[in-house]
Amino acid sequence: MPAVVGSAPGKIILFGEHAVVYGRPAIAVPVTQVRAKVTISADPAGPRGQVRLTAGDIHLENTLDALPPNDPLAAAIRCTAEQLGIIQLPAMHLRVSSTIPIASGLGSGAAVSAAIARALSGFLGCPLTDEQVSQIAFKVDQLHHGTPSGVDNTVIAYAQPVYFVRGQPFERLLVERPFTVVIGNTGIASPTSQAVGDVRQRWQADPLPYERLFDEIGEIVGQARQALETGRVEALGPLMTRNHALLQQIDVSSPELDRLVSAALQAGASGAKLCGGGRGGNMIAMVEAEQAAAVAAALRAAGAVNTIQSTIP
Ligand code: PMV
C-alpha cells in the first residue's frame, strides 16, 4: 500500500486574540509558507496493531502505546480512530514533520493534529471532512489549553481567512484586496496555555477592566472586517497597532515583542502587533509589498530569529 500524506498550514491571528476566548470576534488567516506534514506507511513487519511514531523536529521516536494519553500526537491519533469507529489500528509508521515554529503563535499544534487526522483517515480509506478535521484538532487543543476558543483549529482545517466567534459557526472572510505582512519570530517559545491562564486569573480577580479591553478589541475586529471586505487595506495597519496597545494592557506582550513591533513601524510598516498567545512567539507587520524586505531586515536587526513574508489571501 502506498504511503499517504496529510498536511495543514500555519496561521496568524490578524486581530482579536485573547478577547476571542471571552466571546469577542477574531480574524485569522492561513500562512501557507509553513506547513505540518504527516506521512503514513504500512509497517507489515511490525507487530499487529503497533503504531510507530517518528517526529524528528521534537526528537520523538516511540510507539503509540508507550505515549501518555495527553501526548498531543497520541491524542490526535486516538481521536481520529475514535471518530472513524476503529478500535485496533493496523501496524503502521507515522512520520511527522513541520516547518511551523513550535509554541510561537503560528498554530503548530493544531496544524500537526489536522495533518494527522487527514493522513490517518486517508490511510484507513475514509477521508474526513474539513469540519471533522477541525473538531479533532479542537479536542487535542482542549487537552493543552483547557479553554481554546476554536479559532486556531478552524482557520487551519479550512485553510481560509475566517471571521470567528466562539461557539458560533465561523464565517469565511472575503478579502477584497490582497495585502502583505511580514511575520517576525522572537525565538522565544511561549506556551499559549500559560498566557491564557494568566489572563484568566487576572480577569477573574477584576473582570471589569478586562471586559472593557476585550470590548475595545472586539470593536477593532469589526472595523478590520469592514476594511478587509471593502478593500481598504490601508486601514489595517493602524488597527493592528491599536490592537497591540490593547494586548500590552492585557499584559501578554513582552519586551522582545515590543522591540520588534517598534522596529517594524520605524522601518515603514503601517502597523504591527503580536500575534497569538503572546509573551514570545511571533509578531506581524503590515507592509507594502516593496517594503517587505526592508521591514524584514529591520526585524532581524532588532532580534527576530527569522521572518516570513506572506501575501493574504
Ligand atoms: O498562540 P496560538 O497560536 O495558539 O493562538 C492563541 C489564540 C488565543 O486567543 C490567545 C487563545 C485561543 O484559544 O483563541
Side-chain angles (χ1 to χ4, degrees), residues 261-269 298:
V261 165
S262 301
L265 295 174
Q266 274 168 23

Side-chain angles (χ1 to χ4, degrees), residues 180-184 283-287 291-293 295-296 299 307-310:
T180 303
V181 294
V182 178
I183 303 167
M283 49 71 69
I284 46 172
M286 180 80 192
V287 297
Q291 290 175 314
V295 171
L299 288 174
T307 57
I308 300 168
Q309 181 181 334
S310 185

Side-chain angles (χ1 to χ4, degrees), residues 28-141:
V29 295
V31 177
T32 50
Q33 286 85 350
V34 286
R35 292 193 85 80
K37 183 174 140 191
V38 172
T39 307
I40 304 185
S41 46
D43 195 2
R48 209 172 112 91
Q50 177 176 276
V51 177
R52 276 204 299 144
L53 259 161
T54 306
D57 305 330
I58 53 167
H59 311 292
L60 177 99
E61 176 74 63
N62 216 332
T63 59
L64 179 60
D65 288 348
L67 290 170
N70 66 349
D71 175 273
L73 305 182
I77 295 170
R78 294 206 174 96
C79 281
T80 305
E82 195 184 325
Q83 170 75 38
L84 296 169
I86 288 174
I87 291 160
Q88 192 176 41
L89 291 163
M92 63 175 89
H93 187 184
L94 257 101
R95 292 180 186 83
V96 181
S97 64
S98 174
T99 53
I100 309 171
I102 294 170
S104 64
L106 295 189
S108 93
V112 167
S113 300
I116 288 178
R118 288 209 170 106
L120 184 54
S121 62
F123 183 77
L124 296 170
C126 359
L128 296 174
T129 63
D130 289 343
E131 183 52 31
Q132 289 169 318
V133 168
S134 177
Q135 285 311 318
I136 287 168
F138 182 65
K139 277 192 201 156
V140 179
D141 258 6

Side-chain angles (χ1 to χ4, degrees), residues 12 101-107 183-192 252-254 256-258 260-261 273-284 303-306:
I12 45 176
I102 294 170
S104 64
L106 295 189
I183 303 167
N185 189 350
T186 60
I188 299 167
S190 169
T192 303
V252 291
S253 192
S254 70
E256 294 82 6
L257 282 165
D258 290 345
L260 295 189
V261 165
K273 65 181 271 293
L274 70 85
C275 63
R279 299 271 168 81
N282 283 273
M283 49 71 69
I284 46 172
V305 293
N306 69 293

